[in-house]
Amino acid sequence: MAKHHPDLVMCRKQPGVAIGRLCEKCDGKCPICDSFVNPATIVHVCDECNYGSFEGRCVVCGGVGVTDAYYCKECFKLGKDRDGCPKIVNLGSTKTDLFYERKKYGFKKRCVVEI
Ligand SMILES: [Zn+2]
Ligand SMILES: [Zn+2]
Ligand SMILES: [Zn+2]
């Protein structure tokens, strides 16, 4: 199973009431370890990651969310569900994308980690 690219950074802020979502492509995936088996507990994201255009977005890739996200049994056992908002905050496959995203979402700087 492919792991997240090591450059990907999770938000880790205090989750709010918003439920994390997954797109068609990531359906059934644990946002922490990419496991597709044993979903255990529903994912909550922080208010900022569910704000405006981010609302209902896939926590893994930022695509259009179609289903609720769950942490797998292993991550739940390890307490990863309490580590904070699991939304990937530095999305983008190329540096150009990252630069563009950063400009576009400059107002969300607090959620973006410098690479
Ligand atoms: Zn997991
Ligand atoms: Zn967040
Ligand atoms: Zn996705």
Side-chain angles (χ1 to χ4, degrees):
M1 191 69 61
K3 290 279 173 204
H4 285 317
H5 194 274
D7 281 351
L8 294 181
V9 174
M10 290 183 190
C11 164
R12 292 306 189 200
K13 274 203 272 295
Q14 179 72 38
V17 290
I19 304 290
R21 303 281 283 168
L22 289 173
C23 69
E24 230 164 33
K25 217 171 56 182
C26 306
D27 188 7
K29 195 155 149 173
C30 167
I32 304 291
C33 70
D34 292 354
S35 166
F36 283 92
V37 293
N38 300 322
T41 186
I42 203 152
V43 170
H44 285 272
V45 294
C46 72
D47 293 342
E48 248 173 90
C49 289
N50 197 50
Y51 178 79
S53 61
F54 290 106
E55 190 180 344
R57 290 286 171 162
C58 173
V59 294
V60 178
C61 71
V64 179
V66 294
T67 181
D68 293 342
Y70 284 84
Y71 292 107
C72 74
K73 209 166 112 195
E74 284 304 305
C75 292
F76 179 59
K77 247 186 352 204
L78 294 169
K80 304 251 189 216
D81 60 313
R82 293 190 297 272
D83 277 357
C85 172
K87 171 121 178 162
I88 304 293
V89 289
N90 62 339
L91 287 171
S93 47
T94 69
K95 283 208 162 80
T96 320
D97 276 358
L98 277 174
F99 182 65
Y100 177 69
E101 289 292 317
R102 218 179 280 176
K103 272 188 94 159
K104 200 165 94 186
Y105 298 120
F107 66 95
K108 293 192 80 68
K109 252 208 181 85
R110 278 168 302 154
C111 214
V112 175
V113 178
E114 292 295 324
I115 299 158

